[in-house]
Amino acid sequence: MKFPSPRVFVLRGVQAIDPSQELDAEVDVVVENGVITRLGRDAAAGFQGPSGSGPDGTIEIDGHGKWLLPGLVDLHAHLREPGQEGKENLESGLFAAAAGGFTDVCAMPNTRPVNDSPLITELLLRRARELSPVRMHPIGAITVGQKGEELTEMAALKEAGAIAVSDDGRCVTSSALMRRALEYARTFDLPLIQHAEDHALTAGAEMHEGAVSTRLGLRGWPRVAEDIIVARDLILAEYTQARYHVAHLSTLGAARLVREAKSRGLAVTAEVTPHHLLLTHEAVMGYRTACKVNPPLREEEDVEALRQALADGTIDCVATDHAPHGPADKDVPFADAAPGMIGLEICLPLLLGLVKKGALPLGRLVDSLTRAPAKVAGLTAPRLAESARADFVLLDPAYRWTIDPSRLVSRSKNTPFAGVAVEGRVELTVSAGRIAFAVAPAAAEIR
Ligand code: DOR
Ligand code: ZN
């Protein structure tokens, strides 16, 4: 979906929130030719943009009662191209991202074929640029075919545009290989994103190991399978002085390990998903395949620890782990179902619920979705400041709606949050001055 973009935007009286600029104030914002040229109280007073509403015109937006945030950055999404376009493709995935307020999306390499080569990286970049104003940043594989045997050519991957390396979906299990991977990644200044799972401890596992797995008679995935890998990796990261990032951290033990490593100054970072912040293994009751995810939904005490770790900065970022799957992979017996759930379009409204409950400061939530992930990925962080590239999301914080998967734009509808009432709706996403998404009334105004 393409939206015609005007050359000039004028937003009046909007509540602009950007902790990276220590900004939380009602301001006017003017964008000219893709750059924020004025931002401040009454900054648009007396400003006269070109008349008309076409591409050379001006769009005027009354921002009263609305929030303006920097464009969101997702460190972890599965866009399924190449190879599984029935589940998602670059176009649908990036449109879903825009609808969720994201201007930057990092794409995991567990595609078919795996993105382990500069050729695929370049192809993805070229296609994404044609398809969407939302920026897609490819993540290259750590090992060839994600087989855990042979390292990829990380220098070539970086040269082609990869911003990090990961074997997400699979763990780099061998300590020897992990050591070399960290050394190699450090040489090319690439962060290494680990999917922390000791596969020997999770063989045949279907959900978190605990009271619910016992009740349901499902094989359990113990917390220690994550903790052991994180502990070992932190030792290796210290030894190699590499940049190490924990994907979808899900246990209280892993949060404790990262906290301790950070307190000693290690270059370690971590992310947590909305679903691990909001759901426990109880949600799996009834064999709900929508709740099957890797790592699995944990327990109340993990959820508490993750919220605390995100609030105090131990966990740097929120990342969606948007993992689209269709009915062929989800409307099947629990044992056969693929793990994963979609997240791009519902991440922000779901987590605003945590803010409203007082479980997370708004500033920390915004930081964890903007500056912090951009820093991990080495990207220019979207920010609300004069002279900055115009990357922002306009939100109606009071708008109440109910999550209806059939109305989401992602090609896959696999979410356990169907029917959940949320507050806060993305109305407009602007990436580098171009409209990437607008809700119907705003879209009508633009045309
Ligand atoms: O739940 C998950 N789904 N976890 C992963 O690590 C991979 C992902 C996918 O690709 O579907
Ligand atoms: Zn993932």
Side-chain angles (χ1 to χ4, degrees), residues 55-72:
D56 292 323
T58 301
I59 174 175
E60 295 256 358
I61 296 168
D62 177 5
H64 288 95
K66 308 282 169 74
W67 289 357
L68 193 72
L69 310 181
L72 310 185

Side-chain angles (χ1 to χ4, degrees), residues 76 78 80 84 87 108 110 167-170 195 197 248 275 292-295 321-325 330 338-341 414:
H76 189 148
H78 298 271
R80 304 293 189 223
Q84 293 183 296
K87 297 185 179 195
M108 279 297 175
N110 64 336
D167 270 2
D168 182 54
R170 298 284 307 166
H195 171 117
E197 171 181 359
H248 42 51
H275 45 276
K292 185 172 180 182
V293 65
N294 182 350
D321 199 3
H322 178 81
H325 292 292
K330 282 295 193 182
M341 50 182 82
N414 54 306

Side-chain angles (χ1 to χ4, degrees), residues 399-422:
Y399 189 93
R400 289 164 193 262
W401 57 290
T402 299
I403 295 172
D404 173 358
S406 72
R407 301 189 66 165
L408 300 177
V409 302
S410 170
R411 266 202 183 172
S412 291
K413 312 296 178 192
N414 54 306
T415 172
F417 294 104
V420 169
V422 289

